[in-house]
Amino acid sequence: QVQLVESGGGLVQAGGSLRLSCAASGRTFSAYTMGWFRQAPGKGREFVAAISWSGGITSYADSVKGRFTISRDNAKNTVYLQMNSLNPEDTAVYYCAKDRVFRRLAGTTSNEKEYDDWGQGTQVTVSS
């Protein structure tokens, strides 16, 4: 099991930026796709972005495409989510998660059922 710890959340004004980090324990981090999900108050958890184990393939939810960027540093066992042009609709708890499939051939997946290790989440609040 991989331990995931998110950081970087906080309160920001609309139009601002935040960078989330997710530090992973374990030696096999670099072999797994990593994803970011979020859950707003009263809503279900939704996919935000994912990055393949090699870092060469990324995918995004339509709602964040062009504003958010996912990246990873396998040497540091860390995945990042750069969030720009934030708006109040981005307010949520953000979670990082590890894919259950070793070196997924398809690159990424947006299906949360395909992720088996989750962090505790970090709160992002965007004020208008």
Side-chain angles (χ1 to χ4, degrees):
Q1 188 175 9
V2 173
Q3 303 295 321
L4 302 172
V5 179
E6 302 98 335
S7 61
L11 174 64
V12 63
Q13 288 188 331
S17 298
L18 282 175
R19 188 194 195 200
L20 305 184
S21 299
C22 173
S25 66
R27 299 178 180 177
T28 59
F29 170 83
S30 61
Y32 293 91
T33 290
M34 297 296 295
W36 284 97
F37 291 77
R38 66 186 182 185
Q39 187 166 19
K43 296 186 178 180
R45 190 157 54 189
E46 65 173 357
F47 170 76
V48 175
I51 186 166
S52 64
W53 58 273
S54 67
I57 299 172
T58 58
S59 58
Y60 297 91
D62 287 343
S63 59
V64 307
K65 202 170 293 184
R67 300 187 298 122
F68 291 11
T69 302
I70 189 171
S71 62
R72 67 190 297 160
D73 185 339
N74 286 341
K76 296 182 177 180
N77 277 15
T78 302
V79 61
Y80 304 97
L81 186 68
Q82 177 66 43
M83 305 186 296
N84 298 330
S85 302
L86 286 161
N87 58 62
E89 290 70 39
D90 296 316
T91 295
V93 177
Y94 283 71
Y95 300 90
C96 71
K98 183 191 76 64
D99 192 355
R100 65 176 183 83
V101 176
F102 180 82
R103 292 185 178 175
R104 180 178 291 274
L105 292 177
T108 63
T109 177
S110 60
N111 185 351
E112 68 173 287
K113 294 181 180 180
E114 293 295 310
Y115 292 83
D116 58 356
D117 289 312
W118 294 80
Q120 83 289 347
T122 186
Q123 176 71 48
V124 172
T125 302
V126 185
S127 63
S128 57

